């Protein structure tokens, strides 16, 4: 609605203010959760980047709602996140983008980018990032892509825990 679009800048300001994340603030730091929910209902695309930037305030419940809000933007959010997850140098933003992408509806484009990134040894060294990408590859359907994914388990530089996750995904395909 038009009224909703008018409040988007105010909701974004609320998301960006550290004060509202403080559990001692009136509302127990839950204001960003309500802002994220409102932004997902309004669906103004200018909210995608500020929602993404609001991730990582060490509050699981806030992050969970922000992730839901970002996912509500579907293709626009997917494209925004795919750009971030591919950026170099690797940073926490790549990981946050992978977290949100892994929460989105099954999407061939997301799985293909995850596989492409996992072929980079630098990405495989970052366990948390690589782990989210591995589980996103569970949605791979193409035989050639699955074979390429399976080859990752044979990489000499692969962390033992990551190999276990790759094998877990491959076992899921067999079932």
């Amino acid at each position: 609605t038009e009224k909703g679009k008018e409040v988007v800048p105010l909701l974004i300001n609320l998301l960006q203010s550290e004060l509202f994340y403080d559990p001692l603030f009136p509302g127990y730091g839950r204001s960003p959760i309500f802002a994220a929910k409102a932004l997902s209902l309004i669906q103004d695309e200018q909210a995608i980047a500020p929602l993404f930037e609001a991730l990582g305030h060490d509050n699981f419940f806030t992050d969970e709602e922000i992730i839901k809000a970002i996912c509500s933007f579907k293709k626009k959010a997917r494209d925004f996140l795919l750009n971030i997850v591919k950026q170099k140098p690797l940073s926490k933003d790549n990981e946050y983008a992978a977290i949100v992408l892994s929460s989105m509806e099954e999407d061939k484009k997301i799985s293909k980018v995850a596989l492409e990134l996992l072929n980079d040894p630098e990405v495989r060294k970052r366990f948390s990032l690589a782990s989210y990408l591995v589980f996103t590859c569970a949605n791979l359907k193409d035989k050639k892509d699955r074979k390429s994914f399976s080859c990752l388990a044979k990489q000499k530089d692969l962390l033992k825990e990551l190999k276990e996750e790759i094998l877990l995904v491959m076992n899921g395909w067999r079932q």
Side-chain angles (χ1 to χ4, degrees):
T1 68
E2 280 308 307
K3 289 286 183 210
K5 302 255 188 226
E6 290 175 19
V7 298
V8 167
L10 299 171
L11 292 168
I12 289 171
N13 284 341
L14 190 152
L15 270 179
Q16 294 171 334
S17 172
E18 292 297 320
L19 181 66
F20 292 108
Y21 290 88
D22 186 343
L24 299 177
F25 191 80
Y28 308 102
R30 296 186 45 83
S31 297
I33 291 172
F34 299 125
K37 285 181 179 186
L39 288 166
S40 76
L41 291 171
I42 297 166
Q43 287 292 295
D44 186 326
E45 292 172 21
Q46 70 175 325
I48 296 172
L51 281 164
F52 179 77
E53 291 164 10
L55 287 170
H57 277 89
D58 295 323
N59 182 328
F60 172 78
F61 300 107
T62 303
D63 277 357
E64 184 179 16
E65 286 304 322
I66 290 171
I67 289 168
K68 284 181 192 174
I70 295 170
C71 289
S72 76
F73 287 89
K74 299 189 185 318
K75 186 180 179 305
K76 292 286 184 190
R78 179 201 69 191
D79 295 344
F80 171 83
L81 294 164
L82 286 174
N83 285 330
I84 292 173
V85 79
K86 294 189 277 187
Q87 285 179 355
K88 296 268 181 141
L90 297 176
S91 70
K92 204 74 171 144
D93 282 350
N94 301 82
E95 185 178 328
Y96 288 139
I99 290 168
V100 182
L101 287 166
S102 71
S103 301
M104 297 186 100
E105 292 176 11
E106 191 175 310
D107 184 298
K108 187 172 22 176
K109 194 171 185 179
I110 294 171
S111 300
K112 288 245 189 208
V113 168
L115 177 59
E116 177 186 313
L117 289 169
L118 285 167
N119 279 303
D120 179 346
E122 187 183 345
V123 170
R124 290 194 303 268
K125 287 178 190 165
R126 297 181 69 120
F127 176 73
S128 190
L129 169 61
S131 183
Y132 284 105
L133 295 172
V134 163
F135 286 112
T136 303
C137 286
N139 298 323
L140 290 169
K141 303 287 185 226
D142 183 77
K143 281 186 180 184
K144 192 175 98 184
D145 291 338
R146 284 185 173 191
K147 184 169 176 54
S148 176
F149 180 79
S150 300
C151 288
L152 289 172
K154 298 173 187 140
Q155 296 294 323
K156 291 189 184 349
D157 66 340
L158 195 65
L159 298 168
K160 185 183 95 170
E161 298 85 359
L162 204 55
K163 182 176 182 168
E164 290 170 2
E165 290 181 356
I166 289 170
L167 295 174
L168 189 66
V169 167
M170 290 166 50
N171 283 335
W173 291 339
R174 290 185 198 109
Q175 294 174 1

